[in-house]
Amino acid sequence: MGRERIAIYVLDASYEVHGNEPVVLIWGITEDGRRVLLRDKRFRPYFYALLDPSIHGKEDAVLSSIKQLTRPRSPITSVELLEKRFFGKPARVAKIVTVLPESVREYRELVKKLPGVKDVLEADIRFAMRYLIDNAVYPCSWHVFEVEDAGTSPMYVVDRIYDIVSVGERLDRVTPPDMRVMAFDIEVYNPRGAPKASRDPVIIVAVRTSDGRIEQFLAEGRDDRPAIRRFVEFVQSFDPDVIVGYNSNSFDWPYLLERCRYLGIRLEVGRRRGAEPRQSVYGHISVPGRLNVDLYDFAEEMPEVKVKSLDEVAEFLGVMKKSERTNIPWYEIYRYWDDEKLRPKLLAYSRDDVEATYRIAEKLLPFGIQLSAITGVPLDQVMAASVGFRLEWYLIRAAFSYNELVPNRVERPYEPYRGAIVLEPKKGVHENVAVLDFSAMYPSIMMKYNIGPDTIVRDPSECGEAGCYQAPEVGYLFRKEPPGFFKKVLETLVSARKRIKEQMKGLDPRSPEYRVLDERQKALKVLANAAYGYMGWTGARWYCRECAEAVTAWGRETIRRAIELARSLGLTVIYGDTDSLFVKYDPEKVRKFIELVEKELGLEIKIDKVYKRVFFTEAKKRYVGLTESGYIDVVGFEAVRGDWAEIAKEMQEKVAEIVLKTMDPKKAVEFVRKELQRIREEVEKGTAPIEKFVIWKTLSKPLKDYEVEAPHVVAAKYLMKMGYQVEVGDKIGYVIVKGSGKVSERARPYIAVSVKDIDLDYYIDHQIVPAVLRILEYFGITEKQIKTVGKARRTLFDYGKK
């Protein structure tokens, strides 16, 4: 059979054991659009035994005792002595190779106990990831493979199977092929609140495909077998490369899998016959041969969106307005299914859900694809993994290329350390304020001072001729030479980002190449910025609290020195936070300041935005700014916190906008009075949307462990009485209703009451008025003035002059 070289866009990698041999499977797409499976039968699992330096010259005895541990089921096929580096220092290791990946765990424990073995390393790196790392293969990238044609097989749903002879180079081609993408969403019959798969049928499965189709598979009454079977058939015929859902890893997939087990149906939706989706790493559901992406994982990283519901995220991303889509309260879905007249609205709601899911994917997948291509973590896992894990996989690949050993993950207690500097703001209203941001301050500090767990020096005598950098305040020492592991990694990330930004300059911003490169530079920025926080994360393999502490110490010194430079030029500094300075905007002085910072501090600083007006209270991290384009930034007030009702947030934002745009607090007071009157009338009529009054609070522990009956706990207990399941981590939405007794006793789940039941006086006194007073009281406005007709004649500038 002839050999050929083919270029493949790698989707995912997994492995199977055939007979008694592991076979690596690489799922991909060829240049001519064929879906293929590449098999590699040559690769074997291994790990390292770190040898104690005290046995120098007696390594053969240790290697021999390792070989004697071999077991017939998965023999140790080789033990090799190698020179590596561990935390930058030379280390001697035994590389132990076996046959079955699952045997590594067993051998690790046995080898660890041998005399002369200091530790075992890299025994917890998953086999398929080990293959990708060792062969420099990256998912969501084009690679060349030398292969032999192996035809087709009834076991796999692909156009062709190839056996890998050798792994070639990665191609410098960033644009992905045309991938088939399918969004899906299920609606479940729920007359008792939280549905149970053993009892409640799936009434609608909706799909939206990249070729523009929307299909809905409906249950026949309460019989959902036809709907699920037709969904499975559709997936098999459309054959998607990527399946997207919203909260699908936590709800849709587990529910479908459990429901199918109950009904005796196989949910065979992958490219491997007989295999069903299953839970894998980071809680994601793995679908063989396809990339299953839960878009909720992306939403988790959007701090601007407080309630991460599908409709909120769709509106935030500008793909579908809440006011323009069909909305049904989730707890009434069963009623809309049972009533023939209401069912068309439920179908429209389901269509809007799956359309919104697909459109969110169009916005977010390009970033996920680039993050996958850079970190080497497959697309279906990369967003489910935390930022720390994403960076760690990138570091593991870098370690392999530098001949560095990967440290083990160790359980550690959290150790706090001092953070960034935050100045006391100059309170009041300021006009024409520039916000100056240091570009990648913490990565720049790490590179400049060679900070990392392999460069920290505990004994000053070890600094050598090149000397050490000493961190201000904390005094930690870091070797100046040679460049440490983190410095090399960060230089690679930063220079790659600079190259990409240069490339982008010559491209049309509307072109696919520009958009792909833009997502890639964002992904590189996210990884570089994560490096400092990673070192202070107790779950990190390369954990180093002193390193993280040193970075923030240098950060504080940098901000202090920058402030001195700004003042030396006559710039008024209004506020400073972490890596930003707020200064009175004088274009010529700011230009000189930027040059001076680069020259004196060796760091880049640039104008992030200019506020037409900005208002500071006396509190740190709390301000409201009006940008030159008319946008209002609200930082640190109730408007950006999740535990305040929407009505209070909206009022506070509107008050901030009126105050900053008109310079007249009286107008804001008049607005609040009119709004309060309007809201009262709407609540009395029952036309006010109850969602505006919902307060959201997360259950942080089991209900029985709460000593104090907080409002969200009382509401959660009501939900349970109504038949709903309530678990730790759930967000409880409640409202305060009229009646006597403590406020907490009057908390009710918002789905259990009418808007007419709410205690509007509570919301006015404890939510709306306090929220707007946070801004207005600075200008001499009192609670009494808001609630009664009063005079507030002074202008905003009068208050700024106090």
Side-chain angles (χ1 to χ4, degrees):
M1 209 175 289
R3 294 180 178 184
E4 58 180 305
R5 280 167 61 82
I6 56 170
I8 299 287
Y9 185 80
V10 176
L11 292 174
D12 199 5
S14 54
Y15 82 93
E16 294 174 353
V17 176
H18 295 174
N20 201 40
E21 284 191 328
V23 179
V24 174
L25 306 177
I26 292 182
W27 307 87
I29 304 173
T30 62
E31 290 170 297
D32 57 3
R34 291 176 301 133
R35 273 58 185 174
V36 295
L37 174 65
L38 276 57
R39 301 184 303 203
D40 200 330
K41 302 171 184 176
R42 307 164 304 152
F43 194 67
R44 293 291 176 267
Y46 67 87
F47 65 101
Y48 298 109
L50 179 65
L51 303 182
D52 199 308
S54 64
I55 62 147
H56 193 62
K58 302 171 191 165
E59 290 90 352
D60 286 350
V62 179
L63 269 54
S64 177
S65 53
I66 291 171
K67 284 175 190 166
Q68 285 168 26
L69 298 171
T70 193
R71 300 280 192 272
R73 188 170 165 269
S74 176
I76 291 174
T77 55
S78 81
V79 181
E80 185 185 0
L81 186 65
L82 297 175
E83 299 286 343
K84 305 282 268 185
R85 296 184 75 75
F86 193 41
F87 286 106
K89 295 187 173 72
R92 307 197 98 193
V93 293
K95 181 181 178 182
I96 301 148
V97 183
T98 183
V99 178
L100 296 175
E102 57 267 32
S103 298
V104 168
R105 218 171 295 131
E106 183 189 345
Y107 282 130
R108 172 183 66 188
E109 297 310 312
L110 295 170
V111 170
K112 202 187 282 185
K113 293 170 186 168
L114 292 176
V117 173
K118 196 174 178 185
D119 205 350
V120 292
L121 299 168
E122 305 196 16
D124 57 349
I125 295 174
R126 301 192 308 275
F127 183 60
M129 286 296 277
R130 178 86 270 175
Y131 177 90
L132 294 178
I133 291 163
D134 289 24
N135 289 285
V137 172
Y138 288 78
C140 292
S141 304
W142 290 95
H143 284 270
V144 172
F145 295 87
E146 188 181 0
V147 296
E148 286 181 345
D149 193 335
T152 57
S153 162
M155 285 168 65
Y156 305 106
V157 186
V158 289
D159 298 317
R160 209 77 185 162
I161 299 170
Y162 294 97
D163 286 325
I164 294 173
V165 177
S166 67
V167 180
E169 70 277 12
R170 184 186 190 181
L171 298 176
D172 187 19
R173 191 189 301 171
V174 292
T175 312
D178 281 335
M179 291 195 277
R180 293 194 287 263
V181 180
M182 183 194 85
F184 86 109
D185 182 68
I186 68 171
E187 305 301 341
V188 176
Y189 193 68
N190 60 346
R192 301 184 208 189
K196 274 193 177 167
S198 59
R199 176 186 69 204
D200 300 310
V202 175
I203 47 181
I204 307 170
V205 187
V207 296
R208 158 69 152 94
T209 60
S210 44
D211 59 5
R213 284 182 284 168
I214 291 186
E215 301 271 352
Q216 289 172 300
F217 310 112
L218 311 184
E220 293 174 4
R222 309 268 171 84
D223 180 7
D224 53 353
R225 288 177 184 84
I228 296 172
R229 286 199 179 108
R230 284 176 58 219
F231 168 65
V232 171
E233 285 162 15
F234 181 86
V235 176
Q236 288 170 345
S237 65
F238 179 65
D239 193 25
D241 304 302
V242 183
I243 299 176
V244 296
Y246 194 84
N247 200 29
S248 49
N249 282 335
S250 298
F251 179 70
D252 304 64
W253 283 121
Y255 199 92
L256 277 172
L257 283 162
E258 200 181 329
R259 185 71 186 154
C260 284
R261 277 195 289 275
Y262 175 75
L263 296 172
I265 297 172
R266 285 199 70 78
L267 194 64
E268 212 173 292
V269 289
R271 284 180 169 152
R272 171 71 163 87
R273 300 264 186 231
E276 292 186 290
R278 60 180 178 80
Q279 189 161 37
S280 187
V281 289
Y282 314 123
H284 95 286
I285 302 290
S286 176
V287 179
R290 310 191 197 282
L291 295 167
N292 166 54
V293 179
D294 187 345
L295 300 166
Y296 183 79
D297 294 328
F298 290 74
E300 284 277 74
E301 293 182 24
M302 294 177 187
E304 307 90 341
V305 187
K306 296 302 158 197
V307 178
K308 316 283 188 186
S309 58
L310 176 64
D311 56 347
E312 292 281 352
V313 172
E315 176 152 81
F316 173 73
L317 292 172
V319 300
M320 190 180 281
K321 287 185 180 173
K322 282 197 286 184
S323 58
E324 292 173 5
R325 60 154 296 155
T326 309
N327 279 301
I328 289 176
W330 62 268
Y331 47 87
E332 291 195 347
I333 283 171
Y334 76 96
R335 209 163 60 76
Y336 281 75
W337 179 255
D338 286 341
D339 188 329
E340 289 291 338
K341 289 182 189 145
L342 293 175
R343 195 178 286 186
K345 191 174 179 185
L346 176 61
L347 292 176
Y349 167 79
S350 159
R351 283 176 74 91
D352 284 348
D353 268 3
V354 79
E355 179 67 28
T357 302
Y358 183 82
R359 290 207 214 157
I360 289 170
E362 284 185 312
K363 290 270 188 184
L364 301 180
L365 279 183
F367 174 73
I369 285 168
Q370 294 310 316
L371 201 54
S372 172
I374 291 163
T375 59
V377 180
L379 177 62
D380 57 345
Q381 300 169 27
V382 77
M383 292 309 294
S386 68
V387 176
F389 281 124
R390 286 176 221 153
L391 177 65
E392 192 161 88
W393 282 113
Y394 184 86
L395 295 173
I396 289 170
R397 283 180 177 263
F400 181 81
S401 67
Y402 297 147
N403 201 35
E404 276 274 343
L405 291 159
V406 176
N408 289 324
R409 184 164 283 111
V410 179
E411 293 277 322
R412 302 178 183 90
Y414 174 69
E415 295 180 272
Y417 55 90
R418 265 189 79 191
I421 196 169
V422 184
L423 298 182
E424 293 285 340
K426 289 193 174 181
K427 63 181 182 175
V429 178
H430 304 273
E431 289 225 315
N432 199 26
V433 173
V435 183
L436 293 155
D437 270 4
F438 279 95
S439 304
M441 181 200 263
Y442 286 167
S444 299
I445 286 170
M446 286 175 70
M447 288 185 284
K448 186 176 177 182
Y449 299 109
N450 202 22
I451 298 170
D454 57 332
T455 56
I456 191 165
V457 172
R458 315 280 177 189
D459 180 353
S461 66
E462 289 175 24
C463 286
E465 283 181 30
C468 284
Y469 296 111
Q470 184 166 18
E473 299 173 44
V474 291
Y476 302 130
L477 298 169
F478 296 90
R479 221 178 44 230
K480 288 186 178 178
E481 291 293 337
F485 177 53
F486 271 83
K487 179 174 180 170
K488 289 191 284 188
V489 165
L490 285 169
E491 282 175 344
T492 306
L493 287 168
V494 170
S495 62
R497 185 164 179 246
K498 276 186 180 157
R499 272 199 316 275
I500 286 170
K501 293 191 98 171
E502 279 303 312
Q503 270 179 275
M504 287 167 68
K505 285 178 185 172
L507 294 170
D508 179 345
R510 293 163 299 182
S511 68
E513 290 80 10
Y514 182 96
R515 289 200 296 270
V516 167
L517 288 172
D518 192 33
E519 298 298 344
R520 180 161 285 208
Q521 69 85 14
K522 281 184 209 163
L524 287 162
K525 180 183 177 181
V526 165
L527 283 179
N529 286 340
Y532 140 74
Y534 171 82
M535 293 188 302
W537 170 45
T538 52
R541 292 175 188 270
W542 281 274
Y543 175 72
C544 178
R545 181 186 56 80
E546 301 100 317
C547 299
E549 238 174 344
V551 174
T552 56
W554 262 303
R556 290 191 295 274
E557 186 193 59
T558 301
I559 286 284
R560 277 195 285 266
R561 288 186 60 197
I563 290 166
E564 286 166 16
L565 293 174
R567 286 175 178 157
S568 73
L569 292 168
L571 277 170
T572 304
V573 179
I574 294 154
Y575 180 59
D577 181 1
T578 312
D579 57 358
S580 300
L581 282 182
F582 290 61
V583 300
K584 193 85 177 158
Y585 187 38
D586 177 325
E588 186 52 30
K589 285 179 182 173
V590 165
R591 185 186 63 75
K592 283 182 183 166
F593 173 65
I594 289 169
E595 287 173 6
L596 203 54
V597 165
E598 204 159 318
K599 185 179 154 198
E600 298 281 322
L601 304 182
L603 293 170
E604 193 183 321
I605 195 168
K606 61 181 190 301
I607 297 172
D608 178 48
K609 64 180 80 168
V610 176
Y611 286 122
K612 207 169 166 184
R613 293 190 191 105
V614 64
F615 161 61
F616 284 98
T617 69
E618 69 290 343
K620 295 174 180 182
K621 293 183 179 283
R622 186 177 287 168
Y623 60 89
V624 184
L626 171 68
T627 66
E628 291 179 308
S629 59
Y631 181 77
I632 295 282
D633 274 341
V634 182
V635 177
F637 286 89
E638 284 70 26
V640 292
R641 279 175 42 195
D643 54 352
W644 284 71
E646 194 66 38
I647 196 92
K649 294 186 210 174
E650 284 179 5
M651 292 278 271
Q652 189 187 63
E653 260 184 45
K654 193 66 190 164
V655 162
E657 187 177 344
I658 293 167
V659 160
L660 288 180
K661 282 185 176 174
T662 68
M663 306 297 286
D664 185 355
K666 177 176 174 277
K667 285 188 174 156
V669 173
E670 284 166 3
F671 164 77
V672 174
R673 288 189 195 136
K674 279 181 187 167
E675 278 297 287
L676 291 179
Q677 186 56 40
R678 182 187 65 78
I679 292 163
R680 193 172 287 283
E681 286 168 12
E682 285 189 1
V683 167
E684 283 167 5
K685 286 182 199 162
T687 56
I690 198 165
E691 292 80 17
K692 301 274 186 194
F693 299 91
V694 177
I695 301 163
W696 294 92
K697 195 88 178 168
T698 304
L699 277 181
S700 56
K701 52 189 174 182
L703 288 177
K704 62 180 172 53
D705 293 351
Y706 281 94
E707 289 170 26
V708 180
E709 291 276 274
H712 69 299
V713 175
V714 172
K717 288 180 176 174
Y718 263 88
L719 282 170
M720 291 187 79
K721 280 183 200 163
M722 292 164 68
Y724 291 81
Q725 282 177 313
V726 174
E727 293 171 4
V728 174
D730 285 352
K731 271 197 163 88
I732 306 297
Y734 67 89
V735 292
I736 303 300
V737 297
K738 294 172 198 158
S740 56
K742 289 188 286 190
V743 167
S744 59
E745 291 167 2
R746 294 187 283 122
R748 298 290 180 272
Y750 74 97
I751 63 173
V753 296
S754 151
V755 76
K756 285 183 176 181
D757 300 325
I758 71 158
D759 181 352
L760 185 58
D761 289 329
Y762 165 82
Y763 282 91
I764 290 170
D765 294 341
H766 298 280
Q767 289 262 325
I768 298 169
V769 170
V772 298
L773 272 178
R774 284 287 171 95
I775 291 165
L776 292 176
E777 68 188 351
Y778 177 77
F779 308 108
I781 307 292
T782 64
E783 186 173 338
K784 193 175 176 186
Q785 281 173 291
I786 291 173
K787 290 182 178 178
T788 59
V789 178
K791 292 182 181 179
R793 291 286 174 204
R794 295 165 78 191
T795 71
L796 204 57
F797 277 127
D798 297 326
Y799 299 101
K801 291 171 188 167
K802 276 188 187 178

